[in-house]
Amino acid sequence: MVDTGRTADAVAGTQAVTRAARLLRLVTAAGADGVTGAELVERSSLTRPTVHRLLAALRQEGLVDRDDDTGRWMPGPELYLMGTVAAARFDITAAARDIVRSLAVRTEESAFLSVRRGDETVCLVREEGSFPIRSFVLSEGVRFPLGVASAGLAILAFLPPHDVDAYLGRHPELAARWGASHGESRLRARLRDTQERGYAVNPGLIVEGSWGMGAAVFTRQGDPQWALSLTGVEFRFGAERQAELGRTLLAHAHQLTTRLTAR
């Protein structure tokens, strides 16, 4: 005989963990500026009482913190402690930082390393370029859905076709949230272009005038798990220079792939 009471408790417990994890991702994605409770309600699609209840529990455990002056929510100290332990297994920034820095120096644009986490990319490293006009769309901790920023576009383009189909099936909201250019047909066209060139180009689709380029970095098994990317202002990404930047980006991505697969 099935214990329906225990089953219901297990389902409710799993749901609470999933919702709490969703809030943690939203809080960390907001970076150093933090995020308001109202913004968390809107972005999480959870009710206000649920968000407040979960935030209170997460704050008690030290996983989030609230600035009493601004009322904004930020990552808590316990996340830092957990992160230092997890970094020993998952962190590749030490192995990649000099390559990201070299990319910034060679191109004079801001350079980044991002990692795939499920259906998103998360920026791990940012290195400023020397060109005085910069784009600030991306910084450490910022998340974007695959196929939106250039890093995620580069990763999505080199996933197996059935994984791409499944991803697009899970996210019909991309066009509504990020604009008509992220509708399935136009996104698939950019994926084909990325496969042909070897690198992705985002022609100001997130913020007008802010362009990005990305190249995938692969695991030993050939999976696109990370990406190097560049961002800058539009006039710096003309066709001739874009090809030059693409070659430099691919060379650095290949260097990082070789380094990581040899570890």
Side-chain angles (χ1 to χ4, degrees):
M1 184 175 180
V2 177
D3 187 339
T4 56
R6 288 188 177 182
T7 302
D9 288 344
V11 172
T14 301
Q15 185 181 62
V17 171
T18 300
R19 289 174 170 179
R22 189 187 313 170
L23 290 180
L24 282 175
R25 285 193 293 269
L26 290 171
V27 170
T28 56
D33 293 335
V35 60
T36 67
E39 289 169 334
L40 288 172
V41 171
E42 179 182 357
R43 297 173 190 176
S44 68
S45 300
L46 299 173
T47 65
R48 186 177 299 273
T50 297
V51 168
H52 287 177
R53 184 172 64 254
L54 290 172
L55 287 174
L58 291 170
R59 187 182 191 185
Q60 185 174 351
E61 297 298 327
L63 295 170
V64 298
D65 197 13
R66 185 174 183 272
D67 187 310
D68 291 332
D69 293 330
T70 65
R72 301 180 78 84
W73 292 91
M74 302 177 182
E78 193 66 28
L79 279 184
Y80 169 76
L81 297 175
M82 291 179 176
T84 58
V85 176
R89 180 179 180 192
F90 296 107
D91 186 26
I92 69 159
T93 57
R97 192 172 293 277
D98 66 314
I99 293 177
V100 181
R101 186 177 299 116
S102 170
L103 184 59
V105 170
R106 289 280 301 275
T107 63
E108 301 181 337
E109 310 295 347
S110 296
F112 309 86
L113 170 69
S114 297
V115 63
R116 180 189 177 191
R117 289 294 296 140
D119 286 353
E120 298 177 313
T121 56
V122 186
C123 179
L124 299 178
V125 178
R126 175 184 176 119
E127 289 285 345
E128 299 290 1
S130 60
F131 191 72
I133 304 176
R134 298 168 184 166
S135 168
F136 292 95
V137 173
L138 195 57
S139 59
E140 287 94 338
V142 171
R143 296 171 178 259
F144 282 108
L146 295 177
V148 174
S150 58
L153 186 62
I155 290 173
L156 188 63
F158 291 99
L159 288 175
H162 63 271
D163 285 349
V164 175
D165 293 341
Y167 171 78
L168 294 174
R170 288 193 300 272
H171 296 282
E173 80 286 351
L174 288 175
R177 183 175 178 189
W178 298 97
S181 60
H182 292 90
E184 182 172 342
S185 61
R186 295 174 68 176
L187 179 53
R188 285 188 182 275
R190 285 200 298 281
L191 293 176
R192 289 192 295 271
D193 291 342
T194 299
Q195 291 166 350
E196 292 173 5
R197 285 189 303 254
Y199 58 85
V201 177
N202 184 324
L205 299 180
I206 301 175
V207 175
E208 186 177 358
S210 177
W211 282 47
M213 297 175 63
V217 175
F218 297 86
T219 67
R220 185 177 299 156
Q221 293 74 31
D223 300 322
Q225 181 62 28
W226 307 274
L228 294 176
S229 59
L230 298 166
T231 65
V233 290
E234 181 176 357
F235 72 86
R236 297 274 291 172
F237 287 77
E240 185 175 337
R241 187 165 188 266
Q242 192 179 114
E244 178 187 345
L245 291 174
R247 288 190 293 271
T248 303
L249 189 57
L250 287 173
H252 282 71
H254 177 71
Q255 182 184 1
L256 183 53
T257 293
T258 302
R259 180 179 294 182
L260 294 179
T261 56
R263 292 175 67 183

